[in-house]
Amino acid sequence: MSEWIVGIDLGTTNSEVAVVRAGQVEVIPVAVGVRILPSVVGLGDDDSLLVGEAARNQYALHPERSVRSIKRRMGESTTVQMGSQEFAPQEISAMILRRLREIAEAHLGEAVSKAVITVPAYFSDAQRQATREAGEIAGLDVVRILNEPTAAALAYESSRRGARKAIVYDLGGGTFDVSVVNLEGDVVEVLASHGNNHLGGDDFDQKLVEHAIEHLAQTQQLDVRQQPLVLARLQRAAEAAKIALSAQPFATLSEEYLCEKDGLPVHLSLEISRRAYEEMIADYIGETIEAVHIALRDAGLAVADISEVLLVGGATRTPLVQRRLEEELRLQPRAELDPDLCVAMGAAIQAAVISGAQAPSVLVDVTPYTFGTSALDEYEGEMYPYCYVPLIRKNTPIPVSRSEVFHTVHDGQKKVEVNVYQGEDPDALNNISIGRFLVEGLRDAPAGNPVVTTFSLDLNGILHVSAREKETGLQHSITIDRAISRFSGDKLNEARERIAAIFADQEDDAASAASTAALPVEAASGDADETARRLRVEARALIEKGERLLATASGEDADDLVNGIESVKEAITGSSSELKAAIDVFADLLYYLDA
Ligand code: AMP
């Protein structure tokens, strides 16, 4: 019988449990479609124990029977009150761990008695010991206490890319940590760590709640500060608006029947622009950027020494966070992994290694290209109509949808042209133009009329671009098939020839075509999509393996590897049959070199 070791991210706001099964990292669902368990514990009306979402839901109304953020108290020799009883912090944490253990057991269908649990790099011995005890109370033998930034680096496989220094920027719901780590082989060393364990996405929600409270005071002469139920609803609406603003330029904080005034219902509907929201949270983000510099100084390093920035924690999805980090560190932060889950994934990878397995890879589907549009803006000191505005950045997990707002330039402007490009160059004209359309019939308005442009990229590489006049809803759109596989000029001819050759081969060898699932090149069926997705994931795993072998290869072998990697990388952008052919050739080469 196998003995499972699970990986657990025991977070301040949320916790997750993951495991490596059949060489794959799985974050285990805590409910249908949900892989995050709120780190909240409570007693229900009938004194039954509530853990997770149910406890979180009752928190606003029954704080005296609920406990949250217990992680902040770990290592203290105090107790917290829940209902009529007192509990040590370890005991509350143990309730969360026990629930995660039960969830893992139900999922795996077997008993789970061992775990790797993560803690912040700055945790003291006492805090680590308390975490270990919490595990034991929950019936788990804690085989390793792992630093969170180390877990994140394991999940991102940063250490496998050669010796390097990285920054792990972790902004969760209620805590912020930044760590500078040294990565070498399988060893991840935390060089310095800094943060604020009372700063996170919840503070961003609070800014929006305050904004709504002021709005109600001004427009309705209402003071809701003493109404816990109203505040709880505002909090929920604020979080939803905040999350929406990560993907779109406007969101509406709305709650029907929020409360009553003079016997009449009060509805809230308050639009917020991303720009206004970013102003509200700018100081918080400024504080985190300062912390990054402090951690760098403590590690004795300069910005130029850093080769990677890894994002951890749900609040790092905030575009302003990513923008500010990129400005400061001149590196596009890595965000391919789900920032809520990557610490648990890293813990599971560590658990697998402890149980003797080879470190598995985390496979994700990402876009290999950046897609964007052009707008009039300042470029090299002059106004230029083709400044590139990227909307979907390369290495973003797909499917993804992102919107931005643009404004008309002239009074009475009746139409706008939306250009769609693939590429990275700040001058849009140096990128590959992949589509263009007009939005005509705009209302008669002064310059500055907002038009919201949305890019949505699906798993099949189909890019849908729409532009909507905000005030009227007038909308036009285009769909660009196979945006991920777009070729320019010569490459297109080359690809055509290659595909023709593959088809000729397939006709010659029907048996082999059948054995490769006979990928119909343009088939739009769900199966074909899934096959294409699997091929891309396989291709990236092979590239990764090739790059690893390259570190020790020399001479002809190295040349072959470089060529092989290049051809698979190129083929990722092509059709499934093309990719399959490239994979087969490259897999043979790897087999030969690895032997
Ligand atoms: P964590 O503690 O890592 O689970 O992070 C939770 C925090 O991330 C909460 O404040 C969430 O509201 C926030 N969060 C989750 N998704 C997003 C998003 N798409 N944009 C901004 N914040 C988010």
Side-chain angles (χ1 to χ4, degrees), residues 9-16 36-39 56 96 173 340:
D9 172 6
L10 182 61
T12 308
T13 321
N14 294 312
S15 297
E16 296 85 24
I36 291 175
L37 184 79
S39 303
R56 181 177 126 121
I96 299 167
D340 287 311

Side-chain angles (χ1 to χ4, degrees), residues 493-574:
N493 288 330
E494 247 179 69
R496 270 199 205 107
E497 278 167 25
R498 255 190 318 223
I499 300 272
I502 291 164
F503 267 93
D505 281 355
Q506 280 183 341
E507 275 161 25
D508 287 344
D509 188 353
S512 107
S515 73
T516 59
L519 299 170
V521 179
E522 309 293 320
S525 77
D527 282 355
D529 298 346
E530 179 52 26
T531 310
R533 197 188 74 82
R534 268 195 287 110
L535 282 173
R536 286 198 298 275
V537 169
E538 190 183 338
R540 276 195 284 275
L542 286 177
I543 291 171
E544 223 265 337
K545 185 163 181 198
E547 282 172 345
R548 248 183 287 153
L549 285 177
L550 195 55
T552 52
S554 58
E556 240 176 68
D557 289 354
D559 291 345
D560 287 350
L561 276 171
V562 170
N563 291 338
I565 290 169
E566 274 313 302
S567 61
V568 176
K569 274 188 181 166
E570 236 169 63
I572 284 184
T573 62

Side-chain angles (χ1 to χ4, degrees), residues 13-14 16 36 170-174 200-202 205 239 242-243 246 277 312-318 339-340:
T13 321
N14 294 312
E16 296 85 24
I36 291 175
D170 181 348
L171 188 62
D202 299 351
D205 302 345
E239 185 179 14
K242 170 188 78 173
I243 289 173
S246 287
Y277 167 64
V312 181
T316 59
R317 293 195 185 93
T318 311
D340 287 311

Side-chain angles (χ1 to χ4, degrees), residues 302-324:
V303 164
D305 297 318
I306 299 299
S307 9
E308 272 187 11
V309 183
L310 312 181
L311 297 184
V312 181
T316 59
R317 293 195 185 93
T318 311
L320 183 61
V321 167
Q322 301 192 10
R323 226 165 53 228
R324 292 285 291 112

Side-chain angles (χ1 to χ4, degrees), residues 176-246:
F176 165 67
D177 298 300
V178 55
S179 303
V180 180
V181 296
N182 187 41
L183 310 160
E184 213 161 347
D186 283 340
V187 183
V188 184
E189 182 193 1
V190 179
L191 300 177
S193 213
H194 197 74
N196 175 350
N197 70 359
H198 285 276
L199 171 64
D202 299 351
D203 295 301
F204 303 176
D205 302 345
Q206 205 46 42
K207 284 280 180 194
L208 290 171
V209 169
E210 278 161 25
H211 181 64
I213 291 174
E214 251 164 54
H215 171 81
L216 288 168
Q218 273 174 15
T219 57
Q220 313 260 358
Q221 287 75 49
L222 250 178
D223 181 7
V224 296
R225 285 179 193 278
Q226 308 307 325
Q227 302 186 44
L229 195 55
V230 173
L231 290 176
R233 287 181 60 193
L234 283 179
Q235 201 104 37
R236 290 274 161 134
E239 185 179 14
K242 170 188 78 173
I243 289 173
L245 287 170
S246 287

Side-chain angles (χ1 to χ4, degrees), residues 50-363:
L50 306 174
V51 181
E53 195 57 37
R56 181 177 126 121
N57 286 342
Q58 76 152 22
Y59 186 90
L61 291 182
H62 299 291
E64 74 293 348
R65 294 203 240 122
S66 321
V67 179
R68 65 174 184 184
S69 304
I70 194 63
K71 188 170 177 178
R72 296 202 176 113
R73 314 292 296 271
M74 291 295 274
E76 292 178 13
S77 51
T78 50
T79 54
V80 293
Q81 185 142 15
M82 184 163 70
S84 56
Q85 298 179 63
E86 299 271 337
F87 294 94
Q90 290 91 317
E91 293 177 291
I92 301 287
S93 285
M95 294 172 196
I96 299 167
L97 289 172
R98 199 189 148 111
R99 177 53 52 88
L100 291 173
R101 193 189 105 200
E102 289 166 358
I103 288 165
E105 288 178 337
H107 182 76
L108 297 168
E110 283 183 66
V112 170
S113 60
K114 293 186 175 181
V116 170
I117 302 181
T118 59
V119 297
Y122 63 78
F123 252 30
S124 65
D125 282 347
Q127 289 168 307
R128 285 165 199 262
Q129 185 53 31
T131 306
R132 211 175 260 286
E133 287 164 12
E136 280 162 21
I137 299 167
L140 288 167
D141 172 14
V142 183
V143 295
R144 181 80 51 93
I145 293 280
L146 185 68
N147 284 326
E148 287 160 9
T150 304
L154 283 174
Y156 273 106
E157 295 172 9
S158 292
S159 52
R160 291 202 220 157
R161 305 169 149 219
R164 54 187 46 218
K165 307 220 167 18
I167 281 180
V168 181
Y169 177 102
D170 181 348
L171 188 62
T175 59
F176 165 67
D177 298 300
V178 55
S179 303
V180 180
V181 296
N182 187 41
L183 310 160
E184 213 161 347
D186 283 340
V187 183
V188 184
E189 182 193 1
V190 179
L191 300 177
S193 213
H194 197 74
N196 175 350
N197 70 359
H198 285 276
L199 171 64
D202 299 351
D203 295 301
F204 303 176
D205 302 345
Q206 205 46 42
K207 284 280 180 194
L208 290 171
V209 169
E210 278 161 25
H211 181 64
I213 291 174
E214 251 164 54
H215 171 81
L216 288 168
Q218 273 174 15
T219 57
Q220 313 260 358
Q221 287 75 49
L222 250 178
D223 181 7
V224 296
R225 285 179 193 278
Q226 308 307 325
Q227 302 186 44
L229 195 55
V230 173
L231 290 176
R233 287 181 60 193
L234 283 179
Q235 201 104 37
R236 290 274 161 134
E239 185 179 14
K242 170 188 78 173
I243 289 173
L245 287 170
S246 287
Q248 61 200 47
F250 299 96
T252 304
L253 245 168
S254 73
E255 282 291 303
E256 299 243 315
Y257 301 98
L258 180 65
C259 52
E260 278 193 3
K261 188 184 172 218
D262 306 330
L264 291 172
V266 174
H267 309 299
L268 174 71
S269 177
L270 173 59
E271 187 184 74
I272 295 159
S273 70
R274 185 191 283 159
R275 180 173 292 200
Y277 167 64
E278 289 183 343
E279 273 171 29
M280 295 179 203
I281 60 167
D283 285 349
Y284 288 135
I285 296 182
E287 189 187 320
T288 71
I289 298 291
E290 248 172 63
V292 168
H293 288 295
I294 294 170
L296 272 173
R297 215 167 39 234
D298 290 352
L301 295 175
V303 164
D305 297 318
I306 299 299
S307 9
E308 272 187 11
V309 183
L310 312 181
L311 297 184
V312 181
T316 59
R317 293 195 185 93
T318 311
L320 183 61
V321 167
Q322 301 192 10
R323 226 165 53 228
R324 292 285 291 112
L325 279 170
E326 189 165 351
E327 279 165 17
E328 291 292 320
L329 302 170
R330 297 186 280 283
L331 285 171
Q332 187 189 336
R334 290 187 64 189
E336 310 95 274
L337 298 185
D338 185 326
D340 287 311
L341 308 180
C342 63
V343 168
M345 289 174 177
I349 290 170
Q350 179 69 69
V353 171
I354 290 172
S355 50
Q358 225 198 341
S361 295
V362 180
L363 302 176

